[in-house]
Amino acid sequence: MDVKLRHIRKEFDRYPALDDVSLDIHSGELIALLGPSGSGKTTLLRLIAGLDFPTEGTILFGGEDASCRTVQERHIGFVFQHYGLFRHMTVLSNVAFGLSVRPRKQRPDKAEIERRARELIDFVQLSDLENRYPHQLSGGQRQRVALARALAIEPTLLLLDEPFGALDAQVRRELRRWLRDIHERTRHTTVFVTHDQEEALELADRVVVMGKGEIEQVGSPDEIYDRPASEFVFRFVGDSSVLDVDVRGGELWFEGTATGLSTGEVPDGPAHLCFRPHDTSLIDSGAGISGIATEIRRIGGIWRATLHAGSGNASVEIDLPDAVRPKRGAQLTFRPRVFQLYPAAQR
Ligand code: ADP
Ligand code: MG
């Protein structure tokens, strides 16, 4: 089912949690809502679900105004961070729940409900655990049960609100791949909320970056990472360093020194230079940006230096080549190989 959001505004006590949000969710896609805490992700999900209503704007389900449909009529499968499994019910009963509470006319018979619940439990790879209770499962297993329960009602739309948020890093990564695999097989239209950019980029067909109740950018993971539409997106997605610079006649200057970087068609004036630590090169001679190494540390397989650049308190991070291990206090000069410039006023 495709879902269209048109100029959605949501106010709580006259303060807008969402402001003029428009978005097309395509049938069969897995879309991630990515943004910091408080950016309005959960609010948007609740509006789509019909658990709450927009102050202004329209939500269309398959082209029809959804405002006249109840939560039940929207046939939405939910998974939240704190699973909300029924504690007194076994895995099997939890998964069967959605079907067993249907009005009599739409309810399959008992044997059929059990058959379908077992099939789903098998699908989420928990077959040998169907008689366990939630407290006898790990966090990751509980979230798999929660997903099976959401799938049982044959949802037209699947909404997942930080479903792996409470789990440790390794389990999160496993479940991410598992969910992607489930999605490839079922192709349910899915909206996945997360504040974890790595999760969004790895999992989603398209990513919606949200900041303060507005959409900052919608695009494929590559578009979001390689061509961030704003400084906000650049800084939120991936590691980033930012410096106050000046553009003069197509050249970049940092604190009165030419950096050797050309800007192309950017108007003269102050700007923010944004780059990623791994997109930098150290240089021995010639123009660049110089700084004093204040910290050098290992991040996984690479070494990263924090540089105090210029006379103010600007600090940037650069990754070091294998053979280079400068001492603290060493002066280093580098140049970003890839960078973006944003207007200074945005920050
Ligand atoms: P996110 O899920 O991105 O962390 P939320 O959608 O939960 O963000 O919240 C967005 C903003 O709306 C926040 O400022 C939050 O305090 C506010 N908000 C959310 N729900 C309510 C509510 N029921 N009453 C008042 N303010 C709310
Ligand atoms: Mg939330």
Side-chain angles (χ1 to χ4, degrees):
M1 165 96 67
D2 63 80
V3 180
K4 294 186 165 72
L5 309 175
R6 291 288 173 267
H7 306 293
I8 299 293
R9 183 181 175 85
K10 177 64 182 177
E11 291 176 6
F12 294 109
D13 313 321
R14 311 185 85 188
Y15 168 83
L18 294 172
D19 186 17
D20 198 17
V21 168
S22 294
L23 177 67
D24 285 4
I25 300 164
H26 309 315
S27 188
E29 79 172 332
L30 198 171
I31 200 164
L33 300 183
L34 172 68
S37 172
S39 55
K41 307 179 297 292
T42 296
T43 303
L44 193 57
L45 218 60
R46 288 175 53 83
L47 297 180
I48 296 172
L51 293 169
D52 202 346
F53 295 91
T55 312
E56 284 170 32
T58 326
I59 300 175
L60 301 164
F61 272 52
E64 269 178 47
D65 193 333
S67 56
C68 45
R69 293 200 204 181
T70 64
V71 179
Q72 285 75 21
E73 285 165 352
R74 294 185 195 203
H75 280 288
I76 287 172
F78 266 116
V79 180
F80 296 109
Q81 180 169 348
H82 298 288
Y83 2 88
L85 293 179
F86 302 116
R87 291 192 333 210
H88 57 286
M89 286 188 196
T90 62
V91 167
L92 185 66
S93 316
N94 264 286
V95 176
F97 180 79
L99 290 175
S100 55
V101 296
R102 278 202 180 154
R104 184 155 314 149
K105 270 195 225 149
Q106 299 157 26
R107 192 191 317 157
D109 66 38
K110 208 167 162 240
E112 173 62 11
I113 291 178
E114 255 194 53
R115 193 192 63 75
R116 270 161 61 178
R118 287 223 163 83
E119 201 174 271
L120 277 164
I121 292 168
D122 200 32
F123 187 61
V124 300
Q125 297 155 5
L126 292 173
S127 312
D128 34 352
L129 303 180
E130 66 178 43
N131 293 318
R132 292 228 185 145
Y133 288 86
H135 74 269
Q136 298 170 310
L137 303 174
S138 71
Q141 288 168 340
R142 279 183 231 174
Q143 283 310 62
R144 295 195 338 217
V145 176
L147 189 72
R149 190 176 63 173
L151 291 171
I153 60 158
E154 292 164 339
T156 52
L157 187 61
L158 200 52
L159 302 178
L160 313 175
D161 194 353
E162 312 235 8
F164 309 144
L167 307 173
D168 66 50
Q170 196 184 336
V171 178
R172 281 179 85 119
R173 277 197 293 274
E174 279 167 26
L175 283 188
R176 219 185 271 170
R177 287 192 203 115
W178 169 83
L179 181 67
R180 183 67 228 179
D181 183 49
I182 296 258
H183 182 258
E184 302 278 323
R185 291 195 266 162
T186 60
R187 284 284 154 193
H188 284 295
T189 311
T190 304
V191 185
F192 182 96
V193 163
T194 181
H195 64 267
D196 178 342
Q197 41 103 11
E198 207 179 287
E199 195 162 87
L201 295 183
E202 184 175 333
L203 194 58
D205 299 314
R206 288 196 305 150
V207 178
V208 179
V209 184
M210 297 188 59
K212 291 203 180 126
E214 292 179 44
I215 293 180
E216 292 272 339
Q217 187 173 4
V218 183
S220 68
D222 286 349
E223 284 164 351
I224 298 287
Y225 191 84
D226 295 328
R227 293 187 291 286
S230 63
E231 187 175 334
F232 177 88
V233 177
F234 195 105
R235 294 163 76 105
F236 191 67
V237 178
D239 293 337
S240 61
S241 286
V242 185
L243 277 181
D244 287 316
V245 293
D246 283 295
V247 178
R248 285 187 222 156
E251 301 285 320
L252 264 192
W253 290 66
F254 175 60
E255 294 202 350
T257 309
T259 61
L261 299 170
S262 309
T263 63
E265 305 281 304
V266 178
D268 280 7
H272 290 154
L273 169 69
C274 298
F275 55 90
R276 308 212 185 269
H278 60 85
D279 286 331
T280 57
S281 303
L282 280 182
I283 51 177
D284 294 329
S285 60
I289 298 165
S290 296
I292 305 293
T294 54
E295 197 193 317
I296 291 156
R297 65 190 193 283
R298 206 190 157 91
I299 302 178
I302 54 149
W303 284 84
R304 181 167 293 178
T306 305
L307 300 187
H308 183 159
S311 58
N313 44 24
S315 96
V316 293
E317 295 194 317
I318 62 170
D319 287 356
L320 299 168
D322 278 344
V324 180
R325 294 286 175 278
K327 295 215 161 30
R328 262 197 219 181
Q331 165 140 340
L332 300 174
T333 303
F334 74 97
R335 242 187 253 160
R337 293 187 301 270
V338 181
F339 62 87
Q340 303 274 349
L341 286 173
Y342 297 103
Q346 271 192 14
R347 201 164 163 188

